[in-house]
Amino acid sequence: MNKTWRGITYVSVWVVIWGTVASLMDWMLLTGEVYETGTSGQAVTFIGYGAATVVMATRYAGRFLAPDAEQSSHGPEGSDQQ
């Protein structure tokens, strides 16, 4: 896969993960009446989960964005050829 497309896909997946997890937590906090819609608590929820997602995405980037040559040097499991 092209390095650019691999990066775009990687970032897109993390955006979906962030949106899903933050929305679920927001829903739980709204139904638990911890805060109301449109308050600063809602913003803090999404910003906090966004920050956590950036940290995790950065930490795991090396595993998923490694060049093809590096992945194929680990044996057949890292190669697309059989």
Side-chain angles (χ1 to χ4, degrees):
M1 180 184 279
N2 177 320
K3 185 178 180 179
T4 301
W5 283 110
R6 186 180 295 166
I8 291 170
T9 302
Y10 185 75
V11 170
S12 298
V13 167
W14 279 104
V15 168
V16 170
I17 290 170
W18 164 70
T20 303
V21 173
S23 294
L24 288 172
M25 183 53 69
D26 179 55
W27 174 75
M28 289 181 1
L29 293 170
L30 286 170
T31 58
E33 299 180 359
V34 174
Y35 57 68
E36 294 181 13
T37 303
T39 62
S40 61
Q42 199 167 29
V44 169
T45 298
F46 280 91
I47 291 169
Y49 276 92
T53 303
V54 167
V55 169
M56 291 186 341
T58 304
R59 172 169 274 174
Y60 294 118
R63 294 181 185 182
F64 295 99
L65 299 177
D68 288 334
E70 185 178 315
Q71 289 178 350
S72 63
S73 68
H74 295 297
E77 67 276 354
S79 174
D80 291 338
Q81 300 175 2
Q82 292 186 1

